[in-house]
Amino acid sequence: MKLAYWMYAGPAHIGTLRVGSSFKNVHAIMHAPLGDDYFNVMRSMLERERDFTPVTASIVDRHVLTRGSKEKVFENIICKDQQEKPDFILLTPTCTSSILQEDLNNFVERATRQTDSNILLADVNHYRINEFQAADRTLEQIIAFYLDRTAEKIEKTEKPSANILGIFTLGFHHQHDCREIYRLLTDLGIQINQIIPEGCFITDLKKIPEAWFNIVPYREIGLMTALYLEKKYNMPYISTTPMGLVETASWIREISKIVDKNYEEYIDKQTRFISQAAWFSRSIDCQNLTGKKALVFGDATHGAYMTKILAREMGINVCCAGTYCKNDGDWFREQVQGFCDQVLITEDHTQVSNMIAEIEPAAIFGTQMERHVGKRLDIPCGVISAPIHIQNFPLSYRPFLGYEGTNQIADLVYNSFTLGMEDHLLEIFGGHDVKTVITKNLSTDENLVWNREAENELQKIPGFVRNRIKRSTEKFARSKKIKEITVEVMYAAKEALSD
Amino acid sequence: METLKFECETGNYHTFCPISCVSWLYQKISDSFFLVIGTKTCGYFLQNALGVMIFAEPRYAMAELEEGDISAQLHDFDELKRLCLQIQKDRNPSIIVWIGTCTTEIIKMDLEGIAPKIEEFIGRPIIVARANGLDYAFTQGEDTVLAAMAHRCPEVSALTNTTNKCIPPLVLFGSLPNTVAQQLTRELEHQGIHISGWLPEARYEELPELGAGVFVCGVNPFLSRTAITLMRRRKCRLIGAPFPIGPDGTRAWLEKICQVFNKTPHNLDERESNIWKNLEDYLSLVRGKSVFFMGDNLLEISLARFLIRCGMIVYEIGIPYMDKRFQASELQFLEKTCQEMSVPMPRIVEKPDNSNQIQRIRAMKPDLVITGLAHSNPLEARGITTKWSVEFTFAQIHGFINARDILELVTRPLRRNNHLNNLGWSKLVNEKSFVF
């Protein structure tokens, strides 16, 4: 037993359901007790999904405990098959059903004989793997299920083409990333063969081998499928994530090797003139970020690539880079080696928050949990990875990948740090003046005279905090019945407020 | 004459897991600590359903079962003892509540057997509530906790019993926010009835005395196990009344208690009609509109009864579980309300099937569907106005004063849609994709 308050990755069946409900016309039936269909709420709320989530529960209750699911699962499968006519039904075990040890495969076989749908039992162990691993495994399982039964001769597309493996429902900015990859590939003259699984029909899976190669944007989900396709159809795959300028370039070079075209001119133009990120790193704004301390924590993909962007492309000092994807720890270590002072691989959020408290970075790039830790410690945080809340499903176009992604990341980094700096300056010059309203006017100079010296001093304070400093100094002066504000008064005010 | 119709469907419906009760109970009982003994699935539900509360150093945690626990390679007793010692050290609560889950049921972990031994060892009470999804839905979680807690209330002392011979003690049960509990207490005091305590109180150490001769009365419709425990195990006498939800319900509830205590209720007529008068702006919005309850929190009967009194027409009352004995007065009151308002009796569907319900909603086109979050957005996209049902469990809805809050919730989607009405895009999916 483990005392736990919070977890980074969800239970296995969430991963399986994310795969199932990303496909079109696929229905998932969970073998679960009442209340375990919380996935539907998440999809309906976080993704603001307009359609009913194609997931139902075959409820495990007292009767099932005493007599077994027997007819129940079977009937639920037949019923869904008739109601909705899905192409495919995914029977999803949960942690509860996995200890019941019922022969769910038997139900699947029986139901297959009586329906037109294909039915598959997701093969995941709830006590050994998490959401991401389960999603990875289920995607491979479904694709193998279909490809193993198509023996037709495969013809490659005439023009170079690629499959994108691993765009999911409830994924961190997946929709935007997918659009950005699409745009990039179009620029490179490469067709998209299939996007899997989001919005994909199961009946189209047989076309997968027609593509020249596969793209796996996130290493958490999709690698197993890519490996399977490589083994079975000799399809090459690219597992580099095109996140940040350097890695986007190496991603394009990998493609260039496969399709045997030269893209150097395109990379150069995009990097120097189309994307603003390269110029941003050179601009004087970015100079101020040099050597600032940051901490990065997230899934393996976003954690590693963000670390590299901060260190290599912006000159920021990443004191600690970490991930909760323990199963991918070795890869992570290898990736961030030389880009950060230390590596933290843990699933325990208290360890991460202790690390943050110890390092006191100027900014954090992490998950929603790190954002809350940041709030408590007054450190700004940019969210770069799941687990996420509804505000991380923006309506506007916000990719993290490709050239537009580099712009988005630059904004995210810059905004996090300037906010941090503003706060810091406020503290130096007397804090936020929000507790008491002195007068109706923002600033009042009735009876108060600023002498020339003090006026000059005031002008030295950065514009965005100047008015607040002015007000707090005046408030102090009024409380001390001081008529003329001198530099001494200003400093006395600052001193009094910092007590 | 028409009577209420009861039906029962497949039970394939969406609701919250009963372990969600820790979210309001740990806040109500301020010196408690809730330990949910379950898997990652339970933890994931809690952290997503409770959102922001997770980050505020909550007084609850998961005892996450690992493979070794399931296969009995680890010893339950040692594991739980270790965790409880840690909780005691870190948080020092007056009571630890163990919430048993589906997994502890299936592997038959003997929580009730282990608890007394660990309790003795750490020197503070541990109570066990089996709030699992195999047996219960959502708010019934609170019922299991309060039923377990009823055993821990001190026995009513002979002294209190004899001094107050003419006025027997009255204990109310059901967890309400402290202000609402205070409001109901005062309503009774206006009628000259003094309450000797609440189950639960704001602190575990303040639990009320129970025993033979003590009257008890519930404030929420989902507390049937607690009621049975109080009657059978603690020999209390249950006052069966409609629940104090809506001004009509509050009045009926007060009248019933007055009747038991031989008091003539005074001022209630005026009080109720004043409240109704104040609601007029909302009532004009809801009059003649139709409602469909999909059912997920057991408040449905009382809410439907109130909304019918407000002039609405209820098509269907879905409800997870219907205890006809505990809710007898409320059901009678519902029937009477329907007759007085001359509206057809709604059908009451126990253990509903959401998929069938969606078909019925499609056919009936109600003006408002009260439903869980899983269905809200998809129904809205199809031009059907919805209200998120869970809000009724977290909002203050009891007593005369809070009647406005119920209507605030019910009318919010209607008001919002009135604002957006002229834009011409109320249906935001293709017609053919109405079905699941």
Side-chain angles (χ1 to χ4, degrees):
Chain A
M1 266 178 228
K2 195 166 82 180
L3 198 62
Y5 298 89
W6 205 76
M7 64 182 95
Y8 283 103
H13 72 268
I14 297 287
T16 299
L17 294 178
R18 279 178 63 193
V19 176
S21 51
S22 296
F23 279 112
K24 273 229 164 79
N25 209 24
V26 165
H27 200 98
I29 295 180
M30 293 168 73
H31 188 232
L34 198 63
D36 269 6
D37 57 352
Y38 193 71
F39 176 78
N40 296 29
V41 175
M42 291 177 61
R43 198 165 119 100
S44 173
M45 288 307 288
L46 299 179
E47 289 262 41
R48 296 184 190 86
E49 184 56 58
R50 299 173 199 215
D51 282 319
F52 292 101
T53 301
V55 174
T56 38
S58 172
I59 303 285
V60 175
D61 57 14
R62 275 291 152 188
H63 293 291
V64 170
L65 282 197
T66 50
R67 303 204 317 255
S69 302
K70 278 187 196 165
E71 299 305 309
K72 207 169 180 183
V73 172
F74 176 71
E75 273 165 18
N76 277 314
I77 294 176
I78 303 287
C79 177
K80 273 299 148 209
D81 180 60
Q82 284 163 356
Q83 274 174 354
E84 292 178 36
K85 310 242 172 299
D87 298 321
F88 180 67
I89 293 175
L90 182 65
L91 185 59
T92 310
T94 57
C95 57
T96 309
S97 72
S98 76
I99 38 177
L100 283 176
Q101 299 193 324
E102 283 191 81
D103 190 1
L104 292 176
N105 241 327
N106 180 27
F107 302 143
V108 168
E109 271 168 36
R110 253 183 77 201
T112 308
R113 272 179 258 135
Q114 297 196 21
T115 58
D116 300 328
S117 323
N118 287 311
I119 307 165
L120 183 72
L121 173 68
D123 165 34
V124 287
N125 181 327
H126 279 78
Y127 295 92
R128 293 200 187 151
I129 61 174
N130 66 22
E131 174 187 351
F132 300 111
Q133 294 161 291
D136 203 10
R137 167 76 185 120
T138 306
L139 185 63
E140 185 211 19
Q141 209 191 344
I142 292 175
I143 287 178
F145 178 80
Y146 278 95
L147 292 185
D148 285 350
R149 48 177 69 189
T150 44
E152 298 158 45
K153 203 168 157 277
I154 292 131
E155 281 184 36
K156 294 282 173 198
T157 54
E158 199 180 320
K159 286 192 180 146
S161 62
N163 300 314
I164 305 176
L165 303 176
I167 304 296
F168 284 96
T169 185
L170 291 171
F172 180 71
H173 294 238
H174 275 202
Q175 303 287 359
H176 312 281
D177 285 347
C178 184
R179 224 168 104 189
E180 185 63 17
I181 295 176
Y182 184 92
R183 207 174 65 97
L184 268 177
L185 290 179
T186 311
D187 281 356
L188 302 176
I190 290 164
Q191 291 174 348
I192 304 261
N193 186 48
Q194 298 278 297
I195 296 167
I196 295 163
E198 184 64 47
C200 175
F201 281 98
I202 241 64
T203 42
D204 290 336
L205 290 181
K206 58 178 183 290
K207 292 188 206 150
I208 288 180
E210 291 171 16
W212 290 26
F213 63 102
N214 292 311
I215 289 169
V216 185
Y218 317 100
R219 46 181 301 113
E220 285 75 25
I221 323 181
L223 266 186
M224 280 177 85
T225 311
L227 285 167
Y228 163 82
L229 292 170
E230 185 187 45
K231 201 170 135 211
K232 183 155 166 130
Y233 297 100
N234 208 13
M235 290 175 83
Y237 68 90
I238 297 174
S239 64
T240 304
T241 302
M243 185 168 151
L245 288 168
V246 177
E247 295 294 347
T248 304
S250 45
W251 183 77
I252 295 175
R253 288 191 186 105
E254 281 186 59
I255 294 175
S256 109
K257 264 185 230 148
I258 293 172
V259 301
D260 197 23
K261 274 192 197 174
N262 188 343
Y263 294 125
E264 288 308 319
E265 204 180 314
Y266 175 78
I267 294 172
D268 182 61
K269 191 177 156 208
Q270 290 287 330
T271 307
R272 290 200 295 141
F273 303 109
I274 308 293
S275 157
Q276 298 295 314
W279 160 235
F280 166 77
S281 329
R282 285 281 161 177
S283 72
I284 38 183
D285 260 350
C286 203
Q287 253 178 42
N288 288 340
L289 301 183
T290 309
K292 284 253 176 306
K293 287 201 286 187
L295 177 138
V296 179
F297 196 83
D299 61 24
T301 305
H302 290 91
Y305 285 89
M306 196 65 196
T307 305
K308 289 198 242 180
I309 293 172
L310 291 174
R312 185 163 56 186
E313 296 177 23
M314 293 179 179
I316 289 160
N317 174 17
V318 181
C319 294
C320 176
T323 180
Y324 54 82
C325 295
K326 275 173 106 168
N327 56 310
D328 220 4
D330 292 337
W331 177 84
F332 186 83
R333 258 190 216 96
E334 193 185 305
Q335 290 296 307
V336 298
Q337 200 179 32
F339 295 110
C340 62
D341 302 343
Q342 55 180 321
V343 177
L344 177 66
I345 292 171
T346 178
E347 284 173 330
D348 180 359
H349 73 275
T350 50
Q351 241 181 308
V352 183
S353 42
N354 289 345
M355 182 64 92
I356 294 171
E358 194 183 305
I359 294 178
E360 282 194 73
I364 310 166
F365 298 93
T367 70
Q368 277 293 337
M369 186 36 116
E370 282 69 50
R371 194 174 73 85
H372 282 271
V373 174
K375 257 190 190 168
R376 254 195 249 164
L377 299 172
D378 268 334
I379 301 171
C381 177
V383 176
I384 55 146
S385 160
I388 39 182
H389 286 172
I390 195 156
Q391 66 263 42
N392 303 112
F393 289 90
L395 301 175
S396 55
Y397 187 47
R398 300 265 180 81
F400 267 66
L401 307 189
Y403 289 110
E404 179 53 28
T406 60
N407 293 339
Q408 296 288 342
I409 293 170
D411 276 342
L412 181 77
V413 172
Y414 184 66
N415 289 338
S416 303
F417 276 110
T418 44
L419 287 177
M421 211 133 84
E422 182 181 6
D423 260 2
H424 186 59
L425 283 167
L426 281 172
E427 201 174 285
I428 295 172
F429 291 102
H432 284 282
D433 188 6
V434 286
K435 282 183 190 124
T436 48
V437 179
I438 326 156
T439 58
K440 284 259 162 69
N441 297 327
L442 279 180
S443 175
T444 165
D445 34 23
E446 41 172 328
N447 338 325
L448 281 174
V449 184
W450 287 71
N451 77 5
R452 182 169 295 266
E453 231 182 327
E455 284 266 319
N456 286 342
E457 191 64 26
L458 190 65
Q459 292 309 314
K460 288 182 202 159
I461 294 165
F464 56 89
V465 285
R466 195 179 300 142
N467 273 330
R468 290 181 198 150
I469 307 301
K470 189 169 181 222
R471 267 181 289 141
S472 56
T473 311
E474 287 176 355
K475 182 180 155 199
F476 172 79
R478 224 173 275 119
S479 73
K480 296 277 174 208
K481 308 238 178 326
I482 296 167
K483 292 278 152 103
E484 192 191 11
I485 294 174
T486 60
V487 177
E488 283 72 36
V489 176
M490 282 178 79
Y491 289 135
K494 190 188 131 195
E495 208 176 291
L497 285 164
S498 59
D499 284 345
Chain B
M1 192 184 285
E2 215 190 350
T3 51
L4 289 169
K5 294 173 281 282
F6 293 92
E7 286 170 42
C8 187
E9 284 191 307
T10 60
N12 283 337
Y13 64 102
H14 166 77
T15 183
F16 272 12
C17 175
I19 59 172
S20 51
C21 69
V22 303
S23 67
W24 64 86
L25 287 176
Y26 94 81
Q27 293 190 33
K28 171 72 190 182
I29 309 166
S30 59
D31 52 353
S32 61
F33 191 97
F34 285 78
L35 183 68
V36 182
I37 304 160
T39 59
K40 252 184 175 340
T41 306
C42 313
Y44 197 64
F45 164 70
L46 277 181
Q47 96 177 34
N48 278 295
L50 310 184
V52 209
M53 290 187 228
I54 298 278
F55 301 106
E57 293 249 336
R59 290 189 319 280
Y60 66 82
M62 289 291 308
E64 198 184 307
L65 300 170
E66 291 165 298
E67 205 167 11
D69 299 302
I70 305 298
S71 54
Q73 284 165 332
L74 295 167
H75 202 282
D76 301 338
F77 178 83
D78 297 335
E79 293 293 302
L80 284 166
K81 191 173 97 179
R82 181 171 57 82
L83 298 193
C84 286
L85 278 172
Q86 195 182 332
I87 292 165
Q88 188 191 24
K89 192 172 122 249
D90 297 348
R91 304 297 179 90
N92 193 29
S94 310
I95 179 166
I96 299 176
V97 184
W98 287 357
I99 303 286
T101 62
C102 305
T103 314
T104 57
E105 285 298 307
I106 295 170
I107 63 173
K108 298 196 166 46
M109 194 182 275
D110 181 22
L111 297 177
E112 279 92 348
I114 300 171
K117 292 179 201 151
I118 297 183
E119 177 170 323
E120 201 177 321
F121 189 83
I122 65 170
R124 69 197 51 198
I126 294 174
I127 65 173
V128 180
R130 301 177 174 204
N132 61 67
L134 295 170
D135 301 307
Y136 306 108
F138 194 17
T139 48
Q140 288 180 291
E142 174 181 323
D143 195 21
T144 61
V145 174
L146 296 189
M149 211 168 262
H151 292 283
R152 299 298 178 121
C153 295
E155 187 62 34
V156 70
S157 52
L159 187 70
T160 17
N161 228 358
T162 45
T163 47
N164 292 334
K165 206 148 211 164
C166 36
I167 324 153
L170 170 65
V171 170
L172 299 182
F173 59 96
S175 163
L176 293 179
N178 293 340
T179 49
V180 181
Q182 193 52 238
Q183 286 159 6
L184 287 181
T185 308
R186 290 169 69 114
E187 292 292 353
L188 281 168
E189 263 165 14
H190 286 314
Q191 304 300 332
I193 296 165
H194 178 71
I195 297 178
S196 54
W198 282 80
L199 171 69
E201 287 282 358
R203 293 180 61 80
Y204 172 74
E205 289 155 339
E206 294 162 356
L207 281 182
E209 294 177 347
L210 294 175
V214 175
F215 278 95
V216 289
C217 187
V219 296
N220 267 323
F222 45 79
L223 298 170
S224 50
R225 278 177 69 89
T226 311
I228 289 170
T229 311
L230 290 171
M231 285 191 295
R232 296 207 184 135
R233 306 297 296 275
R234 303 305 307 262
K235 308 293 173 213
C236 299
R237 295 168 68 185
L238 179 71
I239 303 173
F243 299 98
I245 292 169
D248 50 339
T250 309
R251 180 190 175 162
W253 182 75
L254 288 168
E255 278 177 344
K256 186 65 194 278
I257 297 174
C258 285
Q259 190 197 328
V260 170
F261 284 86
N262 270 325
K263 302 258 181 192
T264 319
H266 59 90
N267 199 25
L268 279 183
D269 233 348
E270 198 192 332
R271 185 117 170 85
E272 194 196 345
S273 61
N274 273 341
I275 298 284
W276 283 114
K277 247 180 251 160
N278 278 331
L279 297 177
E280 189 46 44
D281 49 340
Y282 282 141
L283 294 178
S284 60
L285 284 172
V286 298
R287 242 173 236 134
K289 296 252 166 46
S290 52
V291 196
F292 190 108
F293 284 88
M294 284 185 78
D296 66 352
N297 59 18
L298 285 96
L299 294 171
E300 291 88 0
I301 302 285
S302 311
L303 287 173
R305 178 260 303 150
F306 167 60
L307 292 183
I308 290 170
R309 177 62 71 185
C310 290
M312 297 186 92
I313 300 151
V314 177
Y315 288 157
E316 174 165 330
I317 307 176
I319 186 165
Y321 168 71
M322 181 75 245
D323 185 333
K324 286 187 194 160
R325 286 171 68 191
F326 183 59
Q327 294 223 44
S329 306
E330 185 62 87
L331 286 169
Q332 266 171 23
F333 196 29
L334 170 67
E335 216 167 62
K336 191 168 140 243
T337 306
C338 286
Q339 283 155 7
E340 284 173 10
M341 301 301 289
S342 3
V343 291
M345 298 279 167
R347 58 198 270 180
I348 296 173
V349 181
E350 203 180 347
K351 295 172 91 184
D353 184 300
N354 281 166
S355 167
N356 297 345
Q357 284 183 314
I358 303 274
Q359 300 309 325
R360 294 200 285 273
I361 288 169
R362 188 186 184 188
M364 292 170 171
K365 296 204 171 41
D367 296 308
L368 183 69
V369 174
I370 297 181
T371 180
L373 280 173
H375 301 300
S376 278
N377 270 340
L379 284 171
E380 288 281 352
R382 283 154 183 79
I384 301 226
T385 307
T386 63
K387 179 70 224 147
W388 172 34
S389 57
V390 176
E391 272 195 88
F392 292 103
T393 37
F394 292 116
Q396 311 196 338
I397 61 169
H398 292 78
F400 285 125
I401 303 166
N402 297 313
R404 219 183 153 74
D405 289 47
I406 310 177
L407 284 179
E408 164 71 27
L409 288 181
V410 170
T411 58
R412 193 177 297 154
L414 301 170
R415 283 178 284 131
R416 196 265 313 261
N417 288 354
N418 282 348
H419 284 297
L420 307 181
N421 240 351
N422 299 325
L423 296 172
W425 52 68
S426 60
K427 279 189 190 165
L428 294 152
V429 287
N430 292 329
E431 200 58 45
K432 61 176 184 230
S433 63
F434 192 98
V435 286
F436 258 114

